[in-house]
Amino acid sequence: MRLGLLLGFEDSLETITTLAREAESAGFGSLYTVEAGRSALGPAAAVIQATSRARVGTYVVNAYARDPWITALEARDLDELSGGRFVLGVGTGNRHMNEWYMGADSSRPLAKMRDYLEIVRAVVAAKAGGAVRYEGPVHQIQWRASWDPTSPRIPVYLSASGPKMVRLAGEVADGVAVGIMASTGFLADLVRPNARAAASGAGRDPDALVFPIGAQVSVNRDADLAREATRLSICGLFHPVPHPYYDSQLRQLGFAEFADQATALMPAGHTREAMNLVPDEVIDTMTITGTPQQCAARIARYEGLADEIVALRIAQRGEPSGLAAYDDLFELASLTADR
């Protein structure tokens, strides 16, 4: 099981590339860029140039922000730039942000993503002279490749958390990219069986599917401080409005009461009150929180369920500035690599 690191929230590209180099040296097997305050593809190119061994990818690019053809061409370019180390993660984005930032119509997500993934997977694999023709209800393409791709097949992951999108990922994607609040039970009982059944139903090999998961990782030599940071991060998913995917995940796993409480409290600015209501079970099952040793033990529980854990580092109260803030996370990477 590979341990990856999610990048893209840092204050500069220089910081991102420096952190990428250090993370690769510390034992992280993959480095992913997120589309949030930054684009994902520009920083991914910078990370590729700064590293030599780690897999580099996006977790994830927003399909509502770009055409599938140009996304696939960019993936081909980044794969060439990396010498075959690139993986493309795609998702629908946050519906609220799509509407607020871009005025994008986020309707018909299943139909859109089916078309999107079919086109992207065909374009990234097309050899010189190969034609790609596709006519879907949302996206269409008529294109012919000018040269061979660097890799015969660039892995394409679809971000999914709800049951319908998980099944779609099983039908059309190479991997099911699960978000940052996934318990072992969520993977074992909901994600894996649904995706694998969908793959079989589509005539695909379910064993070929991979299951990377994002994870909030709060690591601190003081376990109590680590838990406090996690409470704040979880509540942040409900401000300024509830994030639809993580709100749904909490409800699917039986934490509807807390989701209701956070939905009422966080938009109103009552952060401390909401933090006091975060169930310990949410911290212990849906995040990776504690000392480096405790976090390594938590990660071990995902063996056989996740192929990769993509760590979203949670900042700690009173942490040092710069790379020193990552010391505990790098120690965790070393412990995980030594298992």
Side-chain angles (χ1 to χ4, degrees):
M1 184 173 61
R2 180 186 286 115
L3 183 62
L5 180 60
L6 194 61
L7 302 167
F9 299 101
E10 292 74 21
D11 60 358
S12 69
L13 287 174
E14 181 180 4
T15 300
I16 289 172
T17 55
T18 299
L19 180 55
R21 280 191 293 268
E22 294 296 324
E24 184 180 61
S25 297
F28 281 92
S30 56
L31 303 164
Y32 289 92
T33 53
V34 64
E35 201 140 70
R38 298 179 179 275
S39 70
L41 294 166
V47 171
I48 286 168
Q49 295 284 57
T51 57
S52 60
R53 301 182 308 278
R55 173 178 281 190
V56 179
T58 58
Y59 210 91
V60 294
V61 295
N62 187 332
Y64 281 96
R66 53 174 59 81
D67 181 85
W69 172 67
I70 198 66
T71 300
L73 290 186
E74 289 169 325
R76 286 171 68 111
D77 289 342
L78 289 170
D79 194 54
E80 180 180 347
L81 185 65
S82 68
R85 292 187 286 137
F86 187 70
V87 56
L88 177 68
V90 181
T92 58
N94 182 331
R95 176 173 51 83
H96 297 305
M97 301 307 174
N98 287 349
E99 294 171 0
W100 294 342
Y101 293 173
M102 300 181 291
D105 179 3
S106 295
S107 62
R108 304 178 71 191
L110 292 171
K112 176 183 178 65
M113 297 312 296
R114 181 181 295 279
D115 286 356
Y116 205 99
L117 267 289
E118 294 282 10
I119 291 172
V120 166
R121 292 181 74 230
V123 170
V124 298
K127 295 183 178 180
V132 176
R133 301 285 186 268
Y134 182 86
E135 186 78 21
V138 180
H139 291 290
Q140 305 82 37
I141 187 172
Q142 295 186 38
W143 175 76
R144 190 178 299 276
S146 300
W147 55 81
D148 288 339
T150 298
S151 299
R153 189 170 204 89
I154 299 171
V156 181
Y157 299 162
L158 174 59
S159 175
S161 60
K164 292 181 180 179
M165 195 65 74
V166 166
R167 287 193 291 271
L168 179 62
E171 293 178 19
V172 300
D174 300 305
V176 186
V178 184
I180 60 170
M181 295 275 284
S183 67
T184 55
F186 185 67
L187 286 173
D189 300 334
L190 297 172
V191 174
R192 289 182 65 93
N194 278 333
R196 288 175 60 84
S200 295
R204 305 179 66 201
D205 179 6
D207 292 335
L209 278 178
V210 296
F211 294 88
I213 69 162
Q216 295 192 80
V217 177
S218 181
V219 56
N220 194 315
R221 288 179 173 81
D222 185 324
D224 290 336
L225 289 180
R227 296 180 73 84
E228 187 77 352
T230 294
R231 289 188 180 91
L232 178 59
S233 181
I234 291 170
C235 290
L237 298 172
F238 288 81
H239 181 79
V241 295
H243 192 296
Y245 305 133
Y246 303 119
D247 176 73
S248 171
Q249 243 166 291
L250 283 163
R251 295 178 188 279
Q252 287 183 72
L253 293 175
F255 299 108
E257 181 180 4
F258 168 68
D260 288 339
Q261 293 166 335
T263 295
L265 292 170
M266 288 303 298
H270 301 305
T271 302
R272 173 51 61 181
E273 186 177 350
M275 287 173 63
N276 291 337
L277 295 172
V278 176
D280 285 336
E281 189 179 355
V282 169
I283 297 173
D284 294 332
T285 63
M286 299 180 71
T287 74
I288 296 171
T289 297
T291 65
Q293 293 75 19
Q294 289 171 337
C295 287
R298 276 280 296 126
I299 287 173
R301 295 175 194 165
Y302 287 89
E303 287 282 2
L305 296 172
D307 295 286
E308 181 175 15
I309 290 181
V310 183
L312 169 61
R313 188 189 79 94
I314 298 177
Q316 304 294 300
R317 188 178 69 191
E319 68 182 17
S321 61
L323 281 174
Y326 289 78
D327 284 349
D328 290 343
L329 186 66
F330 291 164
E331 181 181 347
L332 172 60
S334 176
L335 291 170
T336 303
D338 290 343
R339 285 204 315 269

